[in-house]
Amino acid sequence: MVNKRLPDWLNSSLWSSTPSLEDDERLSRHSTTTTTTISYSPAVEPTLDPPTPPTPPSPTRVDPEKPPETKDSPSNDSHSSDLSYNDISEEVDFSTVDISRQSQLLAEISKKVINIRDLRRISSQGIPDIPGIRSMVWKLLLGYLPPDRGLWSSELAKRRLQYKQFKEELLMNPSEITWRLDKTRSCDKGDSKSESRGLLSRSEITHGEHPLSLGKTSIWNQFFQDTEIIEQIDRDVKRTHPGMHFFSGDSQFAECNQEALKNILIIFAKLNPGIKYVQGMNEILAPLFYIFRNDPEEEYAASAEADTFFCFVELLSGFRDHFCQQLDNSVVGIRSTITKLSQLLKEHDEELWRHLEVTTKVNPQFYAFRWITLLLTQEFNFSDSLHIWDTLLSDPEGPQETLLRICCAMLILIRRRLLAGDFTSNLKLLQNYPPTNISHLLYVANTLRVQSIG
């Protein structure tokens, strides 16, 4: 069988350089939570739409510490490709592109009625590091804020009130529910003595209100069933980005943020009994809450928990089937999505696909399951994850197709090392993805999109 010809844009010294000892040393000590951003001037091809993404921005507003960054500047495959990219493309003054894009974005979000299509086009190239901008744009991209700015105030008030009601109804201990029922009955009877005690007589306690009831409608039975999920959520939230004081530590600020994350996940689990809570949802929730909580507008920062909940629901709506075990083998399940990634790699680089899946027998599920279900939050540092999400959330058809192209680009960027590796070394490399330049990664992903269209 004749292999599919390698695309011309891959026939470059960029992909064929010999691995250095420094590469291997860095791989052995690489942590998936750290990376380095290189400042460079990537090239833009006129046929690409959208143009090359900019250098990854840092988070909108920094909490007591900055998101973790790498100790040094690695010289791995992808960085080598950045440095030699001028051999095959034209160099541009990227600072001019940055300023122009920033002006376009500010002009668009300042309109009375925002054109969401234009906003997606501009945001896909990266959102500038201006306090509050990413918070606003993400809410628009996720449909939480309507395009008409005149509707923002009423819409936000309605959503935030709804979330407050969710908290009152779903986060209440059964003892509190019983007390409220008692209070209501006491008021109806005018029995001030019973109200002051807050107690029900044995004859007044219904079957559903009894702590030992096993009935399906029993509030206590449901409470005990939820306890296991709540304990899992509590453990996962405490493990969320342990290197960031925003999420972890003994400070009151961190504890408040953890409490907000727990509330959101518990409410989501109770409102979605078919999925409930699945380990890893906390990692998807974290970037949203971080951005919204650091909004410079006090009103928005104070309402970050409510705003994050609705945006989290909207974001997860495009991926919820990946978290439903009963659908794993269906056309919408996680295995089907991983198969699409495999097919995408075969389409764009059959030689690499064949080496991985036929020669070395590296099953994509061994590495792509985490990449896809956690939206790449564990493969790059926090700051770079935000930049990737700018592009993911800007896709008008939903983030999944863009996510698969980025995953495919991740494989292509380290193809030289993968082609030289065996099962063990390739699996280690893919499960501990090396530091890379995010702007270049997104550029390659966009190149795949253009080639697929062409």
Side-chain angles (χ1 to χ4, degrees), residues 125-184:
Q125 305 158 36
I127 298 174
D129 182 28
I130 302 175
I133 295 300
R134 182 174 276 112
S135 174
M136 180 191 300
V137 172
W138 279 15
K139 290 170 185 174
L140 285 162
L141 294 176
L142 287 167
Y144 181 58
L145 285 177
D148 189 342
R149 296 176 66 96
L151 300 176
W152 286 8
S153 180
S154 59
E155 185 66 22
L156 288 173
K158 181 176 71 174
R159 292 293 192 98
R160 290 165 181 172
L161 176 60
Q162 185 180 8
Y163 183 74
K164 181 181 178 182
Q165 293 171 343
F166 284 155
K167 290 183 71 174
E168 292 175 349
E169 295 171 7
L170 300 175
L171 298 182
M172 194 180 301
N173 185 293
S175 298
E176 297 179 77
I177 298 176
T178 302
W179 182 84
R180 289 196 177 193
L181 289 172
D182 172 42
K183 187 174 182 179
T184 301

Side-chain angles (χ1 to χ4, degrees), residues 280-291:
M281 286 183 177
N282 58 304
E283 302 294 350
I284 299 177
L285 178 63
L288 291 170
F289 183 72
Y290 176 86
I291 292 299

Side-chain angles (χ1 to χ4, degrees), residues 47-283:
T47 56
L48 290 183
D49 178 27
T52 310
T55 303
S58 56
T60 304
R61 180 176 163 194
V62 181
D63 53 279
E65 88 295 359
K66 294 182 180 180
E69 300 200 7
T70 51
K71 307 172 186 175
D72 51 14
S73 178
S75 58
N76 53 36
D77 292 329
S78 53
H79 287 154
S80 299
S81 67
D82 296 329
L83 297 175
S84 62
Y85 213 83
N86 291 331
D87 294 338
I88 57 177
S89 292
E90 178 186 358
E91 188 174 345
V92 296
D93 181 357
F94 208 68
S95 60
T96 303
V97 177
D98 277 345
I99 295 172
S100 174
R101 182 163 47 249
Q102 178 175 309
S103 300
Q104 291 180 49
L105 183 61
L106 292 177
E108 186 59 50
I109 61 178
S110 298
K111 294 178 180 178
K112 183 178 180 181
V113 179
I114 298 168
N115 187 315
I116 299 298
R117 181 177 178 180
D118 288 345
L119 181 65
R120 290 186 184 280
R121 175 180 54 80
I122 301 168
S123 301
S124 67
Q125 305 158 36
I127 298 174
D129 182 28
I130 302 175
I133 295 300
R134 182 174 276 112
S135 174
M136 180 191 300
V137 172
W138 279 15
K139 290 170 185 174
L140 285 162
L141 294 176
L142 287 167
Y144 181 58
L145 285 177
D148 189 342
R149 296 176 66 96
L151 300 176
W152 286 8
S153 180
S154 59
E155 185 66 22
L156 288 173
K158 181 176 71 174
R159 292 293 192 98
R160 290 165 181 172
L161 176 60
Q162 185 180 8
Y163 183 74
K164 181 181 178 182
Q165 293 171 343
F166 284 155
K167 290 183 71 174
E168 292 175 349
E169 295 171 7
L170 300 175
L171 298 182
M172 194 180 301
N173 185 293
S175 298
E176 297 179 77
I177 298 176
T178 302
W179 182 84
R180 289 196 177 193
L181 289 172
D182 172 42
K183 187 174 182 179
T184 301
R185 291 164 181 160
S186 298
C187 289
D188 292 340
K189 296 178 181 179
D191 186 356
S192 59
K193 185 180 294 185
S194 175
E195 181 178 352
S196 64
R197 292 197 315 268
L199 301 173
L200 289 175
S201 64
R202 183 182 296 273
S203 61
E204 293 177 305
I205 299 177
T206 65
H207 178 71
E209 296 167 8
H210 197 285
L212 299 181
S213 172
L214 298 178
K216 293 183 178 180
T217 59
S218 167
I219 56 176
W220 280 99
N221 185 35
Q222 186 60 50
F223 172 76
F224 291 129
Q225 288 182 6
D226 292 340
T227 299
E228 183 177 350
I229 296 176
I230 293 173
E231 289 176 350
Q232 179 65 58
I233 290 174
D234 184 64
R235 287 193 297 269
D236 290 349
V237 165
K238 290 179 178 177
R239 291 195 291 254
T240 303
H241 294 288
M244 296 178 63
H245 295 312
F246 180 91
F247 293 107
S248 63
D250 299 327
S251 68
Q252 184 178 0
F253 179 66
E255 290 177 355
C256 288
N257 292 334
Q258 288 182 0
E259 190 66 26
L261 295 179
K262 285 192 290 185
N263 291 341
I264 293 171
L265 293 170
I266 292 171
I267 291 173
F268 178 85
K270 291 190 174 185
L271 291 176
N272 296 272
I275 299 178
K276 296 184 178 179
Y277 170 77
V278 178
Q279 194 169 16
M281 286 183 177
N282 58 304
E283 302 294 350

